Amino acid sequence: MPGGRLTQQERQQIALGLADDLAYAEIARRIDRPTSTVTREVMRNGGPTGYRADLAHRATERRAHRRAAPARGPLPADRPADGRDPEALDAFEETITTVFMHSGMSRMPARVLAALLLTDSGSLTATELARHLQVSPASVSKAVAFLDEQSMVRRERDERRRERYLVDEEIWYQSAVTSARANSAVAATARQGVSLLGSATPAGARLENVARFLDHLSEVLLRAAEQGREVLSSAPVGEGPVDPSL
């Protein structure tokens, strides 16, 4: 009913409305809810292009469970009196985690990556991640292994010889390069199939088209990655480097 928590059926209707490119006001009218409720629901759960009713419903249940349970541990690099809203940060962390999941990442790597991105230092130990996410160190280790394989985090030792996991500007470049190389590997394998099946066969022609497409995509991605690397290493127009002491 209006004013209560959205039901799973209402979330499914929201998803259908978004798929039909309806305005938020029209979707709200159809489920008898305020437009602001629909807007918050969509923006909190992946936005109009990433909204998924089942994931949104599960995320809401998890947030309700967290409110009833002891509060999640703070990120070690957070400053307690920095003026940021903890609840808003928690909601955004859940949102960006959901977006990562929609891109194909499983939940735990998505949670670890989100936590690292929202830490001012961009660096946490396994113990710090486990405390913040309230999961076991083994879960963190498996997630980091996946992210490391995808070149989305890097490892280093701090002054106390503890292994730390980091995200920085270079990570996004390396991730794009890794993706391009993966495409090239698929293209090379597809061409092995062409040799086996024969280029004149329908299957062989199909594999050749796949290889040509992925080769082209890899070249474009590598060029874009080099250009993007320059963007990442330069300050926005009109801005200088950020002073970390501020």
Side-chain angles (χ1 to χ4, degrees), residues 93-117:
E93 186 171 336
E94 189 69 42
T95 296
I96 198 168
T97 295
T98 303
V99 171
F100 289 151
M101 291 170 64
H102 289 163
S103 73
M105 194 179 295
S106 58
R107 178 159 178 79
M108 189 51 63
R111 293 188 70 197
V112 168
L113 183 58
L116 287 168
L117 284 171

Side-chain angles (χ1 to χ4, degrees), residues 93-169:
E93 186 171 336
E94 189 69 42
T95 296
I96 198 168
T97 295
T98 303
V99 171
F100 289 151
M101 291 170 64
H102 289 163
S103 73
M105 194 179 295
S106 58
R107 178 159 178 79
M108 189 51 63
R111 293 188 70 197
V112 168
L113 183 58
L116 287 168
L117 284 171
L118 296 185
T119 307
D120 286 336
S121 66
S123 167
L124 294 170
T125 65
T127 300
E128 291 168 340
L129 279 165
R131 184 169 61 244
H132 173 65
L133 299 175
Q134 295 185 343
V135 297
S136 69
S139 296
V140 170
S141 179
K142 289 176 63 177
V144 168
F146 170 82
L147 293 170
D148 186 26
E149 184 178 298
Q150 302 299 314
S151 299
M152 300 192 76
V153 300
R154 61 185 176 87
R155 306 167 187 252
E156 68 176 27
R157 297 280 180 179
D158 62 17
E159 66 280 356
R160 295 168 58 184
R161 303 302 299 163
R162 298 176 304 178
E163 187 172 73
R164 303 189 70 86
Y165 312 122
L166 296 91
V167 290
D168 57 18
E169 288 80 0

